[in-house]
Amino acid sequence: MPQSPHPCYGPAHEYTQNDEVKKTVRSIYALALVRTEEIDECWSMIHAEAPVNEYLMKLMDYFVDT
């Protein structure tokens, strides 16, 4: 049986320990407050400024796919 990752690592750890990840996640959440016609432009800006991070990329993929 595979072991689960250490509980101190993962998306929550990245959010609390990496300010760039936190900024990007908050920006994604703020899209709910953006006018519909501006969402694509704002998403492009968020994506362009996002740090390379495994967990963040999974979150961003989720938003694109749904």
Side-chain angles (χ1 to χ4, degrees):
M1 176 181 259
Q3 290 185 339
S4 61
H6 192 278
C8 293
Y9 299 103
H13 179 264
E14 290 295 318
Y15 181 83
T16 58
Q17 300 300 313
N18 185 325
D19 288 338
E20 290 300 312
V21 169
K22 183 183 289 188
K23 175 185 171 190
T24 303
V25 171
R26 287 181 175 187
S27 295
I28 292 170
Y29 292 156
L31 285 173
L33 305 173
V34 173
R35 293 189 338 215
T36 305
E37 59 270 10
E38 296 177 2
I39 289 178
D40 286 339
E41 181 181 350
C42 291
W43 178 259
S44 294
M45 290 171 45
I46 292 168
H47 192 270
E49 295 175 7
V52 176
N53 179 283
E54 172 188 3
Y55 299 109
L56 188 56
M57 292 301 116
K58 287 180 182 180
L59 176 66
M60 294 178 82
D61 288 345
Y62 172 79
F63 273 85
V64 169
D65 293 342
T66 58

